[in-house]
Amino acid sequence: MANKDLVKRAFSVTANLPTASQQRQDTASTSEAGLDGTKGSEAPATIASATPNKPAAVPVAPKTGPGSMLAFMTDQSEVHREVLRLRERLSDFDGAQATRAIDPKLIKASSWANRDLSHFKTEAFTRLKEEIASAGGNVQPIKVRPIEGAAAGSPSFEIVFGHRRHQACLELGLPVLALVQPDMRDAELFVEMERENREREDLSAWEQGVMYMRALEQGLFPSAKQLAAAIDRDLGNIGKAMALAKLPGEVVRAFGSPLNLQFRWATPLKDAHQRDPEGLLAASRELTTRVPPPSPAEVFAELTAQGGVHRQAPGTTAEWKDDAGKRIASLVVDRKGRVTLSFDQPMAEAQRRKLVKLMDGFVGSKA
């Protein structure tokens, strides 16, 4: 049917072209008119003689019907091929999203932001900031969604992922390159943010726990099980992360930074808090005053020691006095839980042997 239409259109173009017989008749008529004019008057001869000699124009041979149709079909074929080429080039951009350079002051952190502020003080963030400064901006775009009904001058976009890149551009005073995703639901934002950050700079277990707790508290997911399914994470790890996020602030600060908390420490710290919450808080407060500060592993060991020996406040003493109130002996515990027993009065040989025998029984080994 398409070919028939082309033929019809071609014939419509060529329908008004003169035929060869019509051209011959027109030529003959012109010649006869010229002869008659010569017989009737000499004026035409005079005019002809006054006209300068010029080469006669060669008439352009008109196209035949089939030739015009072929030319038309050729033109249409070229147009068709160009359309196909353009479609092929356009297909390369299927699914592509346009980026925009946005003032970072017009972008706010996500309600479920999973980066603790301490992340922006690390060496890794400093290196990222230097790379963005040298490039004149973030080469890898962040992702945002528009905020509906945002007032003029207030943030009009919310970060989906890219909090570190946004913070770096904000501190450098550079516009941030961003993909804008309209019509994104809260649950979709949360899932995309969690998965993207998991593939980049690792979040600490505590940060993940805080993020998961916010999602559940704000009703993004009805249960931890459905949350785990949505983000494709192990339910056990989600439980451990939230256990760390539920620890008192004093305990978290004892580790120096929440970034130092590890998944495998979640259960022992939770158990220690359940056994003796007050003792754990007292020990945590004491650990934060030490100079130099202990390593995270040392903090964990002291806070989770069985029996509570290490959770005793430093400098604690026990004293023994005589009837006159004069001190005879004292027991002192240092910051590492080590005990020193001292006697203020000279001890007789018999008393020393008796004390040694008591110590043998206490430590389970002979001196």
Side-chain angles (χ1 to χ4, degrees):
M1 293 299 293
N3 290 335
K4 290 182 178 180
D5 291 338
L6 288 175
V7 171
K8 290 179 180 179
R9 294 177 63 184
F11 275 116
S12 68
V13 172
T14 60
N16 295 322
L17 292 176
T19 63
S21 60
Q22 287 175 336
Q23 285 183 338
R24 285 194 296 269
Q25 291 175 3
D26 292 341
T27 303
S29 300
T30 303
S31 299
E32 292 175 357
L35 291 174
D36 293 340
T38 301
K39 293 177 181 179
S41 176
E42 296 296 330
T46 304
I47 296 174
S49 61
T51 304
N53 293 329
K54 290 184 179 180
V58 178
V60 178
K63 296 181 180 179
T64 63
S68 298
M69 180 182 69
L70 180 60
F72 177 79
M73 294 178 67
T74 301
D75 291 342
Q76 292 299 309
S77 297
E78 287 296 332
V79 172
H80 181 65
R81 282 194 290 270
E82 181 65 18
V83 169
L84 291 178
R85 283 195 294 269
L86 292 174
R87 284 180 179 175
E88 185 176 354
R89 292 181 59 186
L90 187 61
S91 66
D92 294 337
F93 297 93
D94 284 349
Q97 293 178 297
T99 59
R100 294 173 53 184
I102 303 175
D103 183 348
K105 294 178 182 178
L106 297 179
I107 303 174
K108 74 169 190 174
S110 168
S111 303
W112 303 278
N114 49 15
R115 294 287 184 190
D116 185 72
L117 292 178
S118 57
H119 251 300
F120 304 133
K121 300 177 182 178
T122 62
E123 292 183 6
F125 177 74
T126 301
R127 290 194 299 271
L128 174 66
K129 186 175 174 181
E130 291 172 351
E131 292 175 1
I132 291 176
S134 64
N138 58 309
V139 177
Q140 185 70 26
I142 70 171
K143 192 169 189 177
V144 299
R145 70 171 178 178
I147 299 175
E148 295 183 4
S154 62
S156 51
F157 298 95
E158 180 182 5
I159 297 176
V160 177
F161 57 72
H163 288 85
R164 295 168 71 243
R165 282 164 281 170
H166 169 258
Q167 182 66 25
C169 290
L170 183 64
E171 294 180 8
L172 292 169
L174 295 172
V176 59
L177 188 66
L179 296 169
V180 180
Q181 176 68 55
D183 303 324
M184 174 176 272
R185 296 184 296 109
D186 291 344
E188 293 174 337
L189 184 152
F190 180 87
V191 170
E192 195 161 340
M193 175 184 65
E194 199 278 338
R195 288 181 176 174
E196 200 274 348
N197 281 322
R198 199 191 314 169
E199 296 174 357
R200 293 185 176 274
E201 185 73 18
D202 288 340
L203 294 173
S204 71
W206 181 86
E207 287 175 308
Q208 293 182 47
V210 170
M211 178 178 63
Y212 299 150
M213 286 178 59
R214 286 177 184 169
L216 293 175
E217 289 171 356
Q218 297 184 25
L220 290 186
F221 303 95
S223 66
K225 185 176 181 180
Q226 293 193 19
L227 167 62
I231 63 175
D232 193 24
R233 294 299 302 270
D234 179 70
L235 182 59
N237 281 341
I238 289 179
K240 291 177 181 178
M242 290 195 294
L244 291 172
K246 292 176 182 177
L247 289 172
E250 293 94 329
V251 178
V252 175
R253 284 191 291 272
F255 287 88
S257 168
L259 309 183
N260 294 326
L261 288 164
Q262 301 180 22
F263 278 105
R264 58 191 178 91
W265 293 348
T267 301
L269 285 171
K270 179 181 177 181
D271 293 343
H273 186 240
Q274 291 177 342
R275 283 196 309 268
D276 185 7
E278 292 300 324
L280 186 68
L281 292 176
S284 298
R285 287 191 287 266
E286 185 274 321
L287 286 167
T288 59
T289 64
R290 293 190 189 179
V291 179
S295 68
E298 291 173 337
V299 172
F300 171 74
E302 292 201 28
L303 294 181
T304 57
Q306 296 293 328
V309 174
H310 296 289
R311 292 200 295 271
Q312 190 172 9
T316 300
T317 61
E319 294 184 345
W320 291 265
K321 299 179 180 180
D322 59 15
D323 294 339
K326 189 176 181 179
R327 189 176 67 182
I328 303 173
S330 62
L331 182 147
V332 179
V333 182
D334 68 10
R335 289 179 174 178
K336 293 187 177 182
R338 294 173 296 193
V339 177
T340 301
L341 181 64
S342 60
F343 295 87
D344 290 23
Q345 300 296 327
M347 186 179 295
E349 181 65 24
Q351 289 178 312
R352 289 198 297 271
R353 287 197 299 268
K354 185 177 181 180
L355 179 60
V356 169
K357 188 175 182 179
L358 289 173
M359 289 297 298
D360 289 344
F362 179 75
V363 300
S365 177
K366 290 187 177 183

